[in-house]
Amino acid sequence: MTTDQTETILVLEDDILVRNPLSEYLRGCGYRIIEVSNAVQARQVFEASDARVDVLFASASGDAEVAFELASWTRAHHPDVDVVLAGTLRTAVEKAGDLCEDGPALSKPYDHQHVLDRIRRLTAARQAARPAG
Amino acid sequence: MSPEPKAEKRPARVLLVEDEPLVRMLLAEELRAAGLTVVEAGSASEALSFLAVTDQVDLVVTDIQMPGGMDGLEMADHIRQNHPAVPIVVTSGNPPPVNLSRVGPFLMKPYALRQAVEVVLASLPHPEIDDD
């Protein structure tokens, strides 16, 4: 779907009042954003042949287990996609332990700048790890 | 006598309600490219949640068939009752329902993005709104 070098972030957040301003902020920083409110929609995006996703931002605030399962599935099926987990810290950490996942890197309320910094660090590390040429 | 201060203008804000994320994203990008602000909602309940906290929605574009308890036409009825000044553009992959006249313009899917933008722009009173 994208032919340029714009990084695409799939933003999974079930609260439109949180997702909308975060997505607007990231668009303003030059990213292409695909917004989804649940894991089913996120998988639809990954399964679409013409969609490219570079980063999954998954909030575990709604159903933490679903978000962590999506993160695991993404790492298994789309290893080139960076995953940023976020959400309500206490419940998410408990679910993360159950699923052998790392806990969320960011907790609500999201500081947009922190989200951006996290995404930039991940994408920079990915690009640095790519073989030269 | 000093002149009256001019009201600040803001781009018109479109609430786009569509459950298919990639369809929604493509139309949202085209509307943004036309100078509009777009809020994306994946269901009627999300859209109504957003409308409950702001009156800065100038037009709604909604699909009819959506998952969850409320379809696009039911949502449109709710919006007409509570926000009667907000125009509503309806889209669907099926032929328009007979009672559509109570809502607004209809866009049959698959629509050309440019055509959809033209319908939205024509349905807006102004592409920029006084922010007062």
Side-chain angles (χ1 to χ4, degrees):
Chain A
M1 184 167 287
T2 49
T3 54
D4 56 74
Q5 294 302 305
T6 304
E7 296 262 335
T8 299
I9 305 172
L10 178 58
V11 175
L12 165 61
E13 163 60 55
D14 66 342
D15 185 344
I16 188 173
L17 300 178
V18 174
R19 190 181 69 238
N20 174 254
L22 174 62
S23 298
E24 281 300 294
Y25 176 79
L26 294 173
R27 279 188 194 97
C29 295
Y31 292 95
R32 190 177 213 208
I33 305 299
I34 306 173
E35 298 182 41
V36 292
S37 57
N38 58 56
V40 173
Q41 289 185 346
R43 289 223 192 179
Q44 281 176 5
V45 172
F46 278 118
E47 286 161 6
S49 60
D50 54 351
R52 191 197 82 198
V53 175
D54 300 295
V55 179
L56 167 67
F57 174 90
S59 168
S61 59
D63 186 337
E65 192 163 346
V66 168
F68 285 118
E69 283 172 357
L70 177 67
S72 295
W73 179 86
T74 303
R75 290 192 179 105
H77 293 87
H78 301 274
D80 292 341
V81 175
D82 294 317
V83 178
V84 177
L85 276 169
T88 308
L89 204 54
R90 195 167 61 90
T91 54
V93 166
E94 290 168 4
K95 291 293 181 189
D98 293 344
L99 292 164
C100 304
E101 275 283 338
D102 291 334
L106 299 156
S107 61
K108 281 186 176 177
Y110 305 132
D111 179 312
H112 292 174
Q113 182 67 50
H114 287 168
V115 175
L116 178 65
D117 289 345
R118 180 82 186 177
I119 288 169
R120 282 182 170 159
R121 278 203 301 274
L122 282 171
T123 55
R126 168 166 40 87
Q127 284 161 5
R130 274 187 190 144
Chain B
M1 192 171 174
S2 59
E4 288 284 316
K6 280 188 177 175
E8 291 283 319
K9 297 272 189 185
R10 63 169 173 81
R13 178 183 278 169
V14 174
L15 178 56
L16 173 55
V17 194
E18 164 64 61
D19 63 309
E20 293 184 46
L22 294 174
V23 172
R24 187 176 66 234
M25 180 196 70
L26 288 174
L27 180 54
E29 287 185 342
E30 202 74 8
L31 292 168
R32 290 187 185 105
L36 305 174
T37 298
V38 182
V39 177
E40 300 183 38
S43 67
S45 63
E46 270 203 333
L48 294 179
S49 297
F50 188 80
L51 280 165
V53 298
T54 181
D55 56 1
Q56 290 193 344
V57 169
D58 305 300
L59 183 142
V60 174
V61 179
T62 183
D63 192 12
I64 294 179
Q65 290 82 17
M66 285 186 291
M70 185 182 282
D71 71 16
L73 290 179
E74 290 171 298
M75 183 193 71
D77 282 340
H78 189 279
I79 293 171
R80 282 184 65 243
Q81 286 171 15
N82 296 283
H83 307 271
V86 176
I88 302 170
V89 175
V90 176
T91 74
S92 177
N94 297 319
V98 289
N99 54 354
L100 187 69
S101 58
R102 74 180 196 271
V103 183
F106 178 78
L107 270 170
M108 183 83 180
K109 288 181 177 178
Y111 45 73
L113 291 173
R114 192 60 235 168
Q115 175 205 6
V117 171
E118 285 170 5
V119 169
V120 168
L121 290 175
S123 303
L124 278 167
H126 304 286
E128 286 190 320
I129 306 294
D130 287 339
D131 195 7
D132 53 13

